[in-house]
Amino acid sequence: TMEEVKTPGAMEEEDKVYVPGSPEDLARFFAKVKTTESDALSAKHLDWGWKVLGPEDGAALAHVISKNKTCITLDLFVNEIFEEAGVAVGKALASNMVLKSLDLQQAQVGVPGAKAIAAALKANIPLMNLKMHYNHLGPEGVGAIAEALKTNDKLTNLDLGDNGMMKEGVQALAAMLQKNTKLMRLDCSKNAGLWGDDAMKGVLTKAGEQHDAARKKAKKLIPQDELPFKLLMEDSPGQMWSPNGFVNVVKYPKQRRPKTNRDEPVVI
């Protein structure tokens, strides 16, 4: 269960402790996103990107995802909710039969969050668009998502950019593409395991071609089924995965001006 959390803010607020999911916790959350609970549970589009959401907001997000029966688009980009809240979001998704688009870019849900979201995808929820760029998924998290998509026939667009998927993640996605016929667009840009590795790019490209051929033969149920498959593999550095976690790679460090005597000309 989630631990009790303290709300950030003014000094007089710092000593307040909220039980996750309690009425007080929900009131805190809705004040944070500047909306009422009634509006949050009835909106068709919730634009909560850049709201400084964090681990303490997982229970409230799960509440909204579980209770809102009309929202088709939920934007949560650039909110570092991390693993525990990511799991809460994933579990809530499994019971949501309305949501079509979820943007979790830079949410940092990690492997546990990815596994919870994968379980929801395995349940074949109606989600069509999932953006998970820069979420610390690594090969294990990417593998969990890939495994779920072997049977999911709803998701059409998936962004897994900059997740340090490594070769194991690439191979998992290649295996998925040979079974899935619904996915229309897959973004694997800025991923260690593909960056600078022509052999692994070839593995994913070939799987993508087989996937596209299978899509053309498959029954067309929605307009997206008529479109050709698009595979993105932007060749630039991203996160590196190691057993101890991620190591961010900076290919071109900033050039710093050398320290000099103020009276001397600066030569760079």
Side-chain angles (χ1 to χ4, degrees), residues 192-222:
L194 281 172
W195 170 49
D197 192 328
D198 290 339
M200 293 313 296
K201 285 181 192 172
V203 168
L204 200 55
T205 298
K206 183 177 179 180
E209 291 169 350
Q210 294 172 337
H211 172 76
D212 194 40
R215 275 175 56 79
K216 290 175 181 176
K217 295 177 182 178
K219 189 175 181 180
K220 308 297 186 287
L221 299 176
I222 58 174

PDB file of all heavy atoms in Angstrom, residues 192-222:
ATOM      1  N   ALA A 192      19.390   3.018 -26.579  1.00  0.00           N
ATOM      2  CA  ALA A 192      20.546   2.135 -26.517  1.00  0.00           C
ATOM      3  C   ALA A 192      20.061   0.740 -26.888  1.00  0.00           C
ATOM      4  O   ALA A 192      19.023   0.291 -26.425  1.00  0.00           O
ATOM      5  CB  ALA A 192      21.120   2.133 -25.109  1.00  0.00           C
ATOM      6  N   GLY A 193      20.798   0.076 -27.746  1.00  0.00           N
ATOM      7  CA  GLY A 193      20.358  -1.205 -28.296  1.00  0.00           C
ATOM      8  C   GLY A 193      20.049  -1.062 -29.771  1.00  0.00           C
ATOM      9  O   GLY A 193      20.118  -2.026 -30.536  1.00  0.00           O
ATOM     10  N   LEU A 194      19.736   0.165 -30.171  1.00  0.00           N
ATOM     11  CA  LEU A 194      19.530   0.482 -31.590  1.00  0.00           C
ATOM     12  C   LEU A 194      20.527   1.526 -32.067  1.00  0.00           C
ATOM     13  O   LEU A 194      21.036   1.447 -33.181  1.00  0.00           O
ATOM     14  CB  LEU A 194      18.107   1.022 -31.815  1.00  0.00           C
ATOM     15  CG  LEU A 194      16.969   0.010 -31.881  1.00  0.00           C
ATOM     16  CD1 LEU A 194      15.632   0.733 -31.920  1.00  0.00           C
ATOM     17  CD2 LEU A 194      17.112  -0.910 -33.081  1.00  0.00           C
ATOM     18  N   TRP A 195      20.799   2.514 -31.205  1.00  0.00           N
ATOM     19  CA  TRP A 195      21.687   3.606 -31.584  1.00  0.00           C
ATOM     20  C   TRP A 195      23.062   3.080 -31.996  1.00  0.00           C
ATOM     21  O   TRP A 195      23.734   2.405 -31.253  1.00  0.00           O
ATOM     22  CB  TRP A 195      21.826   4.574 -30.408  1.00  0.00           C
ATOM     23  CG  TRP A 195      22.885   5.605 -30.575  1.00  0.00           C
ATOM     24  CD1 TRP A 195      23.079   6.408 -31.660  1.00  0.00           C
ATOM     25  CD2 TRP A 195      23.912   5.944 -29.633  1.00  0.00           C
ATOM     26  NE1 TRP A 195      24.148   7.237 -31.462  1.00  0.00           N
ATOM     27  CE2 TRP A 195      24.679   6.975 -30.229  1.00  0.00           C
ATOM     28  CE3 TRP A 195      24.235   5.493 -28.357  1.00  0.00           C
ATOM     29  CZ2 TRP A 195      25.770   7.555 -29.582  1.00  0.00           C
ATOM     30  CZ3 TRP A 195      25.324   6.067 -27.713  1.00  0.00           C
ATOM     31  CH2 TRP A 195      26.080   7.081 -28.325  1.00  0.00           C
ATOM     32  N   GLY A 196      23.411   3.347 -33.246  1.00  0.00           N
ATOM     33  CA  GLY A 196      24.716   2.950 -33.751  1.00  0.00           C
ATOM     34  C   GLY A 196      24.880   1.476 -34.022  1.00  0.00           C
ATOM     35  O   GLY A 196      25.983   1.006 -34.280  1.00  0.00           O
ATOM     36  N   ASP A 197      23.795   0.713 -33.966  1.00  0.00           N
ATOM     37  CA  ASP A 197      23.874  -0.736 -34.168  1.00  0.00           C
ATOM     38  C   ASP A 197      23.050  -1.127 -35.390  1.00  0.00           C
ATOM     39  O   ASP A 197      21.845  -1.359 -35.308  1.00  0.00           O
ATOM     40  CB  ASP A 197      23.349  -1.461 -32.922  1.00  0.00           C
ATOM     41  CG  ASP A 197      23.668  -2.955 -32.928  1.00  0.00           C
ATOM     42  OD1 ASP A 197      23.724  -3.540 -34.025  1.00  0.00           O
ATOM     43  OD2 ASP A 197      23.832  -3.531 -31.838  1.00  0.00           O
ATOM     44  N   ASP A 198      23.700  -1.193 -36.543  1.00  0.00           N
ATOM     45  CA  ASP A 198      22.992  -1.490 -37.792  1.00  0.00           C
ATOM     46  C   ASP A 198      22.374  -2.880 -37.795  1.00  0.00           C
ATOM     47  O   ASP A 198      21.323  -3.100 -38.405  1.00  0.00           O
ATOM     48  CB  ASP A 198      23.952  -1.346 -38.987  1.00  0.00           C
ATOM     49  CG  ASP A 198      24.334   0.109 -39.246  1.00  0.00           C
ATOM     50  OD1 ASP A 198      23.585   1.000 -38.789  1.00  0.00           O
ATOM     51  OD2 ASP A 198      25.387   0.354 -39.872  1.00  0.00           O
ATOM     52  N   ALA A 199      23.014  -3.815 -37.123  1.00  0.00           N
ATOM     53  CA  ALA A 199      22.487  -5.187 -37.095  1.00  0.00           C
ATOM     54  C   ALA A 199      21.137  -5.234 -36.382  1.00  0.00           C
ATOM     55  O   ALA A 199      20.189  -5.853 -36.866  1.00  0.00           O
ATOM     56  CB  ALA A 199      23.486  -6.117 -36.404  1.00  0.00           C
ATOM     57  N   MET A 200      21.050  -4.569 -35.210  1.00  0.00           N
ATOM     58  CA  MET A 200      19.789  -4.582 -34.464  1.00  0.00           C
ATOM     59  C   MET A 200      18.716  -3.750 -35.166  1.00  0.00           C
ATOM     60  O   MET A 200      17.529  -4.090 -35.119  1.00  0.00           O
ATOM     61  CB  MET A 200      20.010  -4.076 -33.039  1.00  0.00           C
ATOM     62  CG  MET A 200      20.872  -4.993 -32.175  1.00  0.00           C
ATOM     63  SD  MET A 200      20.376  -6.762 -32.273  1.00  0.00           S
ATOM     64  CE  MET A 200      18.738  -6.710 -31.566  1.00  0.00           C
ATOM     65  N   LYS A 201      19.134  -2.681 -35.831  1.00  0.00           N
ATOM     66  CA  LYS A 201      18.168  -1.911 -36.630  1.00  0.00           C
ATOM     67  C   LYS A 201      17.603  -2.798 -37.731  1.00  0.00           C
ATOM     68  O   LYS A 201      16.410  -2.735 -38.048  1.00  0.00           O
ATOM     69  CB  LYS A 201      18.851  -0.696 -37.263  1.00  0.00           C
ATOM     70  CG  LYS A 201      19.126   0.429 -36.295  1.00  0.00           C
ATOM     71  CD  LYS A 201      19.784   1.572 -37.064  1.00  0.00           C
ATOM     72  CE  LYS A 201      20.350   2.584 -36.123  1.00  0.00           C
ATOM     73  NZ  LYS A 201      21.164   3.597 -36.814  1.00  0.00           N
ATOM     74  N   GLY A 202      18.481  -3.636 -38.304  1.00  0.00           N
ATOM     75  CA  GLY A 202      18.033  -4.554 -39.351  1.00  0.00           C
ATOM     76  C   GLY A 202      17.029  -5.567 -38.834  1.00  0.00           C
ATOM     77  O   GLY A 202      16.052  -5.893 -39.518  1.00  0.00           O
ATOM     78  N   VAL A 203      17.257  -6.058 -37.617  1.00  0.00           N
ATOM     79  CA  VAL A 203      16.327  -7.021 -37.003  1.00  0.00           C
ATOM     80  C   VAL A 203      14.945  -6.397 -36.849  1.00  0.00           C
ATOM     81  O   VAL A 203      13.923  -7.002 -37.197  1.00  0.00           O
ATOM     82  CB  VAL A 203      16.862  -7.468 -35.616  1.00  0.00           C
ATOM     83  CG1 VAL A 203      15.782  -8.217 -34.839  1.00  0.00           C
ATOM     84  CG2 VAL A 203      18.097  -8.345 -35.782  1.00  0.00           C
ATOM     85  N   LEU A 204      14.904  -5.161 -36.336  1.00  0.00           N
ATOM     86  CA  LEU A 204      13.613  -4.499 -36.104  1.00  0.00           C
ATOM     87  C   LEU A 204      12.967  -4.077 -37.422  1.00  0.00           C
ATOM     88  O   LEU A 204      11.742  -4.167 -37.577  1.00  0.00           O
ATOM     89  CB  LEU A 204      13.813  -3.284 -35.199  1.00  0.00           C
ATOM     90  CG  LEU A 204      12.556  -2.784 -34.477  1.00  0.00           C
ATOM     91  CD1 LEU A 204      11.895  -3.891 -33.671  1.00  0.00           C
ATOM     92  CD2 LEU A 204      12.900  -1.609 -33.569  1.00  0.00           C
ATOM     93  N   THR A 205      13.792  -3.647 -38.376  1.00  0.00           N
ATOM     94  CA  THR A 205      13.258  -3.250 -39.690  1.00  0.00           C
ATOM     95  C   THR A 205      12.604  -4.437 -40.390  1.00  0.00           C
ATOM     96  O   THR A 205      11.503  -4.323 -40.949  1.00  0.00           O
ATOM     97  CB  THR A 205      14.379  -2.676 -40.576  1.00  0.00           C
ATOM     98  OG1 THR A 205      14.904  -1.503 -39.954  1.00  0.00           O
ATOM     99  CG2 THR A 205      13.853  -2.320 -41.958  1.00  0.00           C
ATOM    100  N   LYS A 206      13.272  -5.585 -40.362  1.00  0.00           N
ATOM    101  CA  LYS A 206      12.720  -6.786 -41.003  1.00  0.00           C
ATOM    102  C   LYS A 206      11.409  -7.200 -40.336  1.00  0.00           C
ATOM    103  O   LYS A 206      10.428  -7.540 -41.014  1.00  0.00           O
ATOM    104  CB  LYS A 206      13.729  -7.934 -40.918  1.00  0.00           C
ATOM    105  CG  LYS A 206      13.253  -9.209 -41.619  1.00  0.00           C
ATOM    106  CD  LYS A 206      14.315 -10.298 -41.571  1.00  0.00           C
ATOM    107  CE  LYS A 206      13.807 -11.563 -42.259  1.00  0.00           C
ATOM    108  NZ  LYS A 206      14.831 -12.653 -42.220  1.00  0.00           N
ATOM    109  N   ALA A 207      11.382  -7.158 -39.007  1.00  0.00           N
ATOM    110  CA  ALA A 207      10.153  -7.497 -38.281  1.00  0.00           C
ATOM    111  C   ALA A 207       9.045  -6.517 -38.629  1.00  0.00           C
ATOM    112  O   ALA A 207       7.870  -6.898 -38.769  1.00  0.00           O
ATOM    113  CB  ALA A 207      10.415  -7.491 -36.782  1.00  0.00           C
ATOM    114  N   GLY A 208       9.416  -5.239 -38.795  1.00  0.00           N
ATOM    115  CA  GLY A 208       8.440  -4.221 -39.171  1.00  0.00           C
ATOM    116  C   GLY A 208       7.857  -4.471 -40.556  1.00  0.00           C
ATOM    117  O   GLY A 208       6.661  -4.271 -40.783  1.00  0.00           O
ATOM    118  N   GLU A 209       8.697  -4.938 -41.468  1.00  0.00           N
ATOM    119  CA  GLU A 209       8.224  -5.249 -42.828  1.00  0.00           C
ATOM    120  C   GLU A 209       7.260  -6.434 -42.810  1.00  0.00           C
ATOM    121  O   GLU A 209       6.239  -6.433 -43.508  1.00  0.00           O
ATOM    122  CB  GLU A 209       9.429  -5.540 -43.735  1.00  0.00           C
ATOM    123  CG  GLU A 209      10.274  -4.301 -44.022  1.00  0.00           C
ATOM    124  CD  GLU A 209      11.596  -4.636 -44.687  1.00  0.00           C
ATOM    125  OE1 GLU A 209      11.931  -5.853 -44.756  1.00  0.00           O
ATOM    126  OE2 GLU A 209      12.295  -3.703 -45.131  1.00  0.00           O
ATOM    127  N   GLN A 210       7.574  -7.439 -42.000  1.00  0.00           N
ATOM    128  CA  GLN A 210       6.679  -8.595 -41.867  1.00  0.00           C
ATOM    129  C   GLN A 210       5.357  -8.177 -41.216  1.00  0.00           C
ATOM    130  O   GLN A 210       4.281  -8.635 -41.608  1.00  0.00           O
ATOM    131  CB  GLN A 210       7.365  -9.682 -41.035  1.00  0.00           C
ATOM    132  CG  GLN A 210       8.581 -10.288 -41.712  1.00  0.00           C
ATOM    133  CD  GLN A 210       9.366 -11.214 -40.791  1.00  0.00           C
ATOM    134  OE1 GLN A 210       9.288 -11.103 -39.559  1.00  0.00           O
ATOM    135  NE2 GLN A 210      10.140 -12.128 -41.373  1.00  0.00           N
ATOM    136  N   HIS A 211       5.455  -7.289 -40.233  1.00  0.00           N
ATOM    137  CA  HIS A 211       4.274  -6.761 -39.555  1.00  0.00           C
ATOM    138  C   HIS A 211       3.381  -6.009 -40.541  1.00  0.00           C
ATOM    139  O   HIS A 211       2.155  -6.182 -40.560  1.00  0.00           O
ATOM    140  CB  HIS A 211       4.736  -5.835 -38.424  1.00  0.00           C
ATOM    141  CG  HIS A 211       3.641  -5.075 -37.744  1.00  0.00           C
ATOM    142  ND1 HIS A 211       2.782  -5.643 -36.832  1.00  0.00           N
ATOM    143  CD2 HIS A 211       3.265  -3.770 -37.835  1.00  0.00           C
ATOM    144  CE1 HIS A 211       1.933  -4.737 -36.391  1.00  0.00           C
ATOM    145  NE2 HIS A 211       2.204  -3.594 -36.988  1.00  0.00           N
ATOM    146  N   ASP A 212       3.999  -5.182 -41.371  1.00  0.00           N
ATOM    147  CA  ASP A 212       3.244  -4.386 -42.344  1.00  0.00           C
ATOM    148  C   ASP A 212       2.543  -5.289 -43.358  1.00  0.00           C
ATOM    149  O   ASP A 212       1.392  -5.051 -43.742  1.00  0.00           O
ATOM    150  CB  ASP A 212       4.186  -3.416 -43.058  1.00  0.00           C
ATOM    151  CG  ASP A 212       3.429  -2.340 -43.819  1.00  0.00           C
ATOM    152  OD1 ASP A 212       2.408  -1.847 -43.297  1.00  0.00           O
ATOM    153  OD2 ASP A 212       3.856  -1.991 -44.934  1.00  0.00           O
ATOM    154  N   ALA A 213       3.219  -6.338 -43.771  1.00  0.00           N
ATOM    155  CA  ALA A 213       2.626  -7.284 -44.727  1.00  0.00           C
ATOM    156  C   ALA A 213       1.419  -7.986 -44.106  1.00  0.00           C
ATOM    157  O   ALA A 213       0.385  -8.173 -44.755  1.00  0.00           O
ATOM    158  CB  ALA A 213       3.669  -8.308 -45.160  1.00  0.00           C
ATOM    159  N   ALA A 214       1.541  -8.352 -42.831  1.00  0.00           N
ATOM    160  CA  ALA A 214       0.431  -9.008 -42.132  1.00  0.00           C
ATOM    161  C   ALA A 214      -0.729  -8.045 -41.935  1.00  0.00           C
ATOM    162  O   ALA A 214      -1.903  -8.434 -42.010  1.00  0.00           O
ATOM    163  CB  ALA A 214       0.912  -9.541 -40.785  1.00  0.00           C
ATOM    164  N   ARG A 215      -0.418  -6.759 -41.689  1.00  0.00           N
ATOM    165  CA  ARG A 215      -1.462  -5.737 -41.531  1.00  0.00           C
ATOM    166  C   ARG A 215      -2.289  -5.595 -42.810  1.00  0.00           C
ATOM    167  O   ARG A 215      -3.512  -5.426 -42.758  1.00  0.00           O
ATOM    168  CB  ARG A 215      -0.829  -4.380 -41.192  1.00  0.00           C
ATOM    169  CG  ARG A 215      -0.555  -4.160 -39.733  1.00  0.00           C
ATOM    170  CD  ARG A 215       0.177  -2.855 -39.508  1.00  0.00           C
ATOM    171  NE  ARG A 215      -0.521  -1.684 -40.045  1.00  0.00           N
ATOM    172  CZ  ARG A 215      -1.552  -1.075 -39.454  1.00  0.00           C
ATOM    173  NH1 ARG A 215      -2.003  -1.539 -38.307  1.00  0.00           N
ATOM    174  NH2 ARG A 215      -2.103  -0.019 -40.006  1.00  0.00           N
ATOM    175  N   LYS A 216      -1.620  -5.663 -43.935  1.00  0.00           N
ATOM    176  CA  LYS A 216      -2.318  -5.505 -45.216  1.00  0.00           C
ATOM    177  C   LYS A 216      -3.314  -6.638 -45.464  1.00  0.00           C
ATOM    178  O   LYS A 216      -4.355  -6.448 -46.084  1.00  0.00           O
ATOM    179  CB  LYS A 216      -1.299  -5.437 -46.359  1.00  0.00           C
ATOM    180  CG  LYS A 216      -0.494  -4.142 -46.362  1.00  0.00           C
ATOM    181  CD  LYS A 216       0.587  -4.154 -47.431  1.00  0.00           C
ATOM    182  CE  LYS A 216       1.399  -2.864 -47.398  1.00  0.00           C
ATOM    183  NZ  LYS A 216       2.523  -2.879 -48.367  1.00  0.00           N
ATOM    184  N   LYS A 217      -2.999  -7.807 -44.930  1.00  0.00           N
ATOM    185  CA  LYS A 217      -3.877  -8.967 -45.124  1.00  0.00           C
ATOM    186  C   LYS A 217      -4.982  -9.031 -44.073  1.00  0.00           C
ATOM    187  O   LYS A 217      -6.010  -9.691 -44.278  1.00  0.00           O
ATOM    188  CB  LYS A 217      -3.056 -10.263 -45.067  1.00  0.00           C
ATOM    189  CG  LYS A 217      -2.042 -10.398 -46.200  1.00  0.00           C
ATOM    190  CD  LYS A 217      -1.219 -11.664 -46.018  1.00  0.00           C
ATOM    191  CE  LYS A 217      -0.169 -11.805 -47.106  1.00  0.00           C
ATOM    192  NZ  LYS A 217       0.675 -13.015 -46.900  1.00  0.00           N
ATOM    193  N   ALA A 218      -4.760  -8.376 -42.953  1.00  0.00           N
ATOM    194  CA  ALA A 218      -5.710  -8.455 -41.829  1.00  0.00           C
ATOM    195  C   ALA A 218      -7.002  -7.706 -42.135  1.00  0.00           C
ATOM    196  O   ALA A 218      -7.034  -6.796 -42.968  1.00  0.00           O
ATOM    197  CB  ALA A 218      -5.066  -7.901 -40.566  1.00  0.00           C
ATOM    198  N   LYS A 219      -8.053  -8.090 -41.437  1.00  0.00           N
ATOM    199  CA  LYS A 219      -9.354  -7.445 -41.597  1.00  0.00           C
ATOM    200  C   LYS A 219      -9.276  -5.999 -41.150  1.00  0.00           C
ATOM    201  O   LYS A 219      -8.692  -5.682 -40.120  1.00  0.00           O
ATOM    202  CB  LYS A 219     -10.406  -8.198 -40.772  1.00  0.00           C
ATOM    203  CG  LYS A 219     -11.830  -7.745 -41.038  1.00  0.00           C
ATOM    204  CD  LYS A 219     -12.815  -8.614 -40.265  1.00  0.00           C
ATOM    205  CE  LYS A 219     -14.247  -8.185 -40.546  1.00  0.00           C
ATOM    206  NZ  LYS A 219     -15.218  -9.029 -39.789  1.00  0.00           N
ATOM    207  N   LYS A 220      -9.875  -5.106 -41.927  1.00  0.00           N
ATOM    208  CA  LYS A 220      -9.838  -3.679 -41.627  1.00  0.00           C
ATOM    209  C   LYS A 220     -11.073  -3.298 -40.817  1.00  0.00           C
ATOM    210  O   LYS A 220     -12.196  -3.350 -41.319  1.00  0.00           O
ATOM    211  CB  LYS A 220      -9.767  -2.854 -42.919  1.00  0.00           C
ATOM    212  CG  LYS A 220      -8.651  -3.276 -43.889  1.00  0.00           C
ATOM    213  CD  LYS A 220      -7.270  -3.082 -43.278  1.00  0.00           C
ATOM    214  CE  LYS A 220      -6.158  -3.359 -44.269  1.00  0.00           C
ATOM    215  NZ  LYS A 220      -5.989  -4.781 -44.574  1.00  0.00           N
ATOM    216  N   LEU A 221     -10.836  -2.907 -39.549  1.00  0.00           N
ATOM    217  CA  LEU A 221     -11.947  -2.587 -38.653  1.00  0.00           C
ATOM    218  C   LEU A 221     -12.059  -1.097 -38.355  1.00  0.00           C
ATOM    219  O   LEU A 221     -13.146  -0.598 -38.076  1.00  0.00           O
ATOM    220  CB  LEU A 221     -11.788  -3.360 -37.339  1.00  0.00           C
ATOM    221  CG  LEU A 221     -11.782  -4.891 -37.460  1.00  0.00           C
ATOM    222  CD1 LEU A 221     -11.512  -5.516 -36.101  1.00  0.00           C
ATOM    223  CD2 LEU A 221     -13.112  -5.383 -38.025  1.00  0.00           C
ATOM    224  N   ILE A 222     -10.940  -0.376 -38.415  1.00  0.00           N
ATOM    225  CA  ILE A 222     -10.936   1.067 -38.166  1.00  0.00           C
ATOM    226  C   ILE A 222     -10.088   1.742 -39.249  1.00  0.00           C
ATOM    227  O   ILE A 222      -9.295   1.071 -39.925  1.00  0.00           O
ATOM    228  CB  ILE A 222     -10.357   1.391 -36.767  1.00  0.00           C
ATOM    229  CG1 ILE A 222      -8.935   0.836 -36.619  1.00  0.00           C
ATOM    230  CG2 ILE A 222     -11.262   0.850 -35.664  1.00  0.00           C
ATOM    231  CD1 ILE A 222      -8.255   1.235 -35.311  1.00  0.00           C
TER     232      ILE A 222
END
